[in-house]
Amino acid sequence: MKITVIGAGNVGATAALRIAEKQLAREVVLIDIVEGIPQGKALDMYESGPVALFDTKIKGSNDYSDSADSDIVLITAGLARKPGMSREDLLQKNASIIKEVTSQVMKYSKNPILIMVSNPLDVMTYVARQISGLPEERVIGMAGVLDTARFRSFIAEELHVSMQDINAFVLGGHGDSMVPVVKYTNVAGIPITELMPMEKINAIVERTKNGGIEIVNHLKTGSAFYAPAASAVEMIESIVRDRKRILPCTTCLKGQFGIKDVYCGAPVKLGRGGVEQIMEINLSEDELKALQQSAAIVEKNCRNLDTLLA
Ligand SMILES: NC(=O)c1ccc[n+]([C@@H]2O[C@H](COP(=O)([O-])OP(=O)(O)OC[C@H]3O[C@@H](n4cnc5c(N)ncnc54)[C@H](O)[C@@H]3O)[C@@H](O)[C@H]2O)c1
């Protein structure tokens, strides 16, 4: 396995190190537009190998030819939010970056799986798919795993139980319109509604929806990166080890949930082939409506990029 990470910033560098530490690849290449940053960070990470106990080669570069023949490319390049900004504020600028980055990646790798992180996530996944021409199942967005991790961590904190025992799904677009699905949320199989009053659940749902901005407001100079990097690497691990995990990921829906040809967060089976199945679970009328509204927002933002992508 060769894995390239584009963008040597907070998410990209953290993810590259996790990939090496988990030994998910023989070689990790870290690419950024800024000279010196990927080289310096990659060398620093590589030098941690003897104490962190990994042998993965890590190379930093500004040259896409170093990404040649990658099996997986994690794309984190672009601007991150600052206080007062929505993810949509990044749309035009990041779309141009993703267009450029994806074309460069495709010059050197024939059939990679692209995992997208840059925001606004669902739209950037669409941009990468359009530019790469890759099959839909090979262009996947990371958002649902992160939103679900936040939801799970808040529930664990409230109930004083292990995070490991919390099963949940946050679906829909990565933004204010995301849909935490209470019906499928349980603690070691016990429905969450039997463990917490509805007001508490609703408060956790709201905190989850605002999970990104909560961190932005603390950091002030950028957005979250530890949990986002861990979430992207969880997806990569399921693909590399062909674990066929069921994870909420951004994928192109093909009529599931009444949504057609729009990138949106849904439960998928992730394996060596990328998205191997989209699980169309039963949702309540309200949840289905919320998911469809979320997809409509993504679609509208995609249409705003028609000229850029023409
Ligand atoms: N999907 C999610 O859940 C999620 C979570 C966190 C962050 N994000 C998004 O991920 C992106 C990266 O976040 P970050 O915190 O790592 O930001 P960052 O500013 O720390 O890093 C971004 C990196 O991209 C590089 N870059 C910019 N233009 C480039 C180009 N044309 N080619 C190559 N590299 C380029 C920058 O030099 C920088 O090193 C942002 O868009 C952010 O909003 C998404």
Side-chain angles (χ1 to χ4, degrees), residues 6-14 31-35 37-38 41 64 75-82 87 90 93-94 96-98 100-101 104 116-122 124 141-147 150 174 212 219 221-229 231 250:
I6 314 288
N10 282 335
V11 179
T14 310
I31 293 185
D32 200 282
I33 198 167
V34 181
E35 277 178 34
I37 296 291
K41 289 192 180 180
Y64 281 81
I75 301 188
T76 75
L79 306 182
R81 282 195 293 172
K82 301 229 165 72
R87 293 179 179 93
L90 307 169
K93 200 97 195 170
N94 278 356
S96 305
I97 293 174
I98 296 310
E100 162 67 13
V101 159
Q104 289 293 333
M116 304 302 299
V117 174
S118 313
N119 272 319
L121 185 273
D122 310 85
M124 294 307 114
M142 186 292 292
V145 175
L146 168 65
D147 296 328
R150 287 181 174 145
H174 185 49
L219 295 178
T221 52
S223 57
F225 54 100
Y226 292 116
S231 303
T250 293

Side-chain angles (χ1 to χ4, degrees), residues 11 23 27 36 42 93 135 143 173 189 201 219 256 267 274 277 284 286 305:
V11 179
Q23 305 202 52
E27 187 182 354
K93 200 97 195 170
I201 297 173
L219 295 178
Q256 294 90 351
Q277 193 182 342
S284 70
D286 283 351
L305 296 175

Side-chain angles (χ1 to χ4, degrees), residues 87 147 170-180 208-210 294:
R87 293 179 179 93
D147 296 328
V170 178
L171 308 180
H174 185 49
D176 304 338
S177 63
M178 70 179 76
V179 187
T208 302
K209 288 186 179 179
N210 294 309
S294 183

Side-chain angles (χ1 to χ4, degrees), residues 103-139:
S103 338
Q104 289 293 333
V105 165
M106 294 309 297
K107 268 192 206 164
Y108 299 99
S109 297
K110 271 202 215 70
N111 196 27
I113 289 181
L114 306 183
I115 311 269
M116 304 302 299
V117 174
S118 313
N119 272 319
L121 185 273
D122 310 85
V123 190
M124 294 307 114
T125 310
Y126 164 78
V127 172
R129 154 79 180 98
Q130 293 303 101
I131 299 297
S132 66
L134 284 165
E136 273 145 0
E137 66 273 14
R138 298 183 81 81
V139 185

Side-chain angles (χ1 to χ4, degrees), residues 136 139 250-254 256 260-264 278:
E136 273 145 0
V139 185
T250 293
T251 190
C252 189
L253 294 178
K254 292 286 177 193
Q256 294 90 351
K260 198 156 174 20
D261 294 330
V262 181
Y263 274 89
C264 190
I278 300 173

